[in-house]
Amino acid sequence: MIPAPLIEALRQARHMVVFTGAGVSAESGIPTFRDSLTGLWARFDATSLATPEAFQADPALVWGWYEWRRMKVLQAQPNAAHLAITELARQVPRLTLVSQNVDDLHERAGSTEVVHLHGSLHQPRCCKCGESPKQPLDMPNEPEGGRRLQPPSCTICSGLLRPGVVWFGENLPAAALSAALQAAETCDLLISVGTSGMVYPAAEIPGLAWRAGAVIVHVNPLPHRQHREREYTLAGPAGEQLPALVAQAFGDR
Ligand code: BJW
Ligand code: ZN
């Protein structure tokens, strides 16, 4: 059951933010980070893979693991949740899509101008000069979990290429962060989809929007901790909840 005031808020919204985390890609077969059985951190140690120190200590271990992840994404398809977000953007005057995800499934579902807070698996860059290769990397062919794989060298300065993602302790890309914060402060409705809300500063975004007066909707199979006024949870997988939300709010248009 979707509450009637929420449907009305969707119909009235002038500027909507959709804020996504790993859960939006879960139904495409991309593992989340913190789900207790299937999450990446249940099987792999974050500190030995997702920090600059880990890459410095063992570039081949880290590069191989990210190449395995990139392969999984290239083999995956956008799911009903990604498609529902694309449809939502057609229905509201303005929609800003802010994602913590490093995959490109929103883009492949037809979303444009996605604000990627944590970078991209598909845009490695040189550790030394910061340039990204002009040619896309070859299609990876990595076993489950990845094998040790020497990162390619930069064609400009011969430094090592590194994954183009934001690791713990690194700053988020300034332009993306400022676009996300500005959208959160000015939107009238924010839908937070498939995120545990544990990683900062991204986790501040729904609260920022709420304090600025927006209606907040969480879409997650896990119940949300607490609810304030103007805050709702649609409990269930995003691939079911988001299409239902879009159909109920805009199906008659
Ligand atoms: C479904 C579903 C379905 C399942 N449908 N839903 C303030 C306080 C405390 C700590 C800090 C702070 N400020 C900064 C920090 C440190 C740190 C941090 O936040 N640590 C916390 C973990 C404690 N932050 C940083 O280091 C950030 N940098 C920074 O702040 O720079 C300034 C600074 C520098 C130095 C010192 C201090 C400050 C950078 C953070 C970078 C995060 N990087 C990662 C890895 C990216 C690369 C990679 O992919 O490997 O980003 S970590 C990982 O977590 C990834 C994600 O984007 C991010 C968020 O995870 P997400 O998306 O929420 O996934 P999950 O798995 O947690 O949740 C999935 C959810 O989906 C669950 O709720 C499920 O129930 C749900 N779900 N199926 C809908 N079908
Ligand atoms: Zn270089």
Side-chain angles (χ1 to χ4, degrees):
M1 267 302 287
I2 302 177
L6 173 56
I7 295 295
E8 196 46 37
L10 257 96
R11 290 185 178 147
Q12 298 294 327
R14 312 300 304 162
H15 179 195
M16 203 179 275
V17 169
V18 179
F19 172 61
T20 63
V24 79
S25 297
E27 290 155 83
S28 295
I30 306 298
T32 64
F33 293 92
R34 295 173 185 80
D35 280 284
S36 55
L37 294 176
T38 54
L40 287 170
W41 299 155
R43 291 192 287 151
F44 303 102
D45 173 25
T47 51
S48 54
L49 291 162
T51 63
E53 293 78 18
F55 185 73
Q56 248 173 14
D58 195 341
L61 176 79
V62 173
W63 183 263
W65 188 67
Y66 278 96
E67 280 295 275
W68 165 66
R69 300 230 341 251
R70 191 167 69 88
M71 181 188 74
K72 280 191 77 71
V73 167
L74 290 172
Q75 290 169 343
Q77 296 302 325
N79 66 53
H82 298 106
L83 295 169
I85 294 167
T86 310
E87 177 56 29
L88 204 48
R90 292 192 193 104
Q91 299 293 342
V92 296
R94 184 173 166 211
L95 185 143
T96 307
L97 176 52
V98 178
S99 186
Q100 298 168 84
N101 296 346
V102 295
D103 65 46
D104 60 352
L105 294 175
H106 284 306
E107 284 86 349
R108 285 201 267 141
S111 288
T112 52
E113 295 175 43
V114 185
V115 177
H116 281 280
L117 290 177
H118 293 160
S120 163
L121 283 174
H122 308 285
Q123 265 198 324
R125 65 172 187 276
C126 173
C127 282
K128 230 162 140 187
C129 72
E131 282 297 312
S132 290
K134 301 273 173 287
Q135 302 291 331
L137 294 176
D138 292 342
M139 178 74 179
N141 178 17
E142 299 309 314
E144 178 77 12
R147 65 190 152 116
R148 296 171 60 82
L149 195 62
Q150 190 56 24
S153 298
C154 171
T155 50
I156 301 166
C157 78
S158 68
L160 281 190
L161 291 191
R162 57 157 283 176
V165 302
V166 181
W167 285 320
F168 287 111
E170 293 189 312
N171 286 321
L172 276 59
L177 182 59
S178 117
L181 297 178
Q182 215 217 349
E185 278 167 346
T186 53
C187 70
D188 37 31
L189 192 147
L190 179 144
I191 310 179
S192 171
V193 187
T195 177
S196 59
M198 287 174 64
V199 175
Y200 290 84
E204 285 168 358
I205 286 172
L208 197 63
W210 185 82
R211 286 191 296 280
V215 170
I216 309 295
V217 192
H218 303 276
V219 179
N220 202 306
L222 294 181
H224 193 66
R225 301 170 294 281
Q226 65 180 78
H227 279 101
R228 301 163 285 194
E229 53 168 329
R230 293 183 273 112
E231 190 171 30
Y232 301 87
T233 289
L234 300 178
E240 292 172 16
Q241 296 294 329
L242 282 176
L245 187 68
V246 176
Q248 279 207 33
F250 303 110
D252 52 357
R253 285 195 184 171

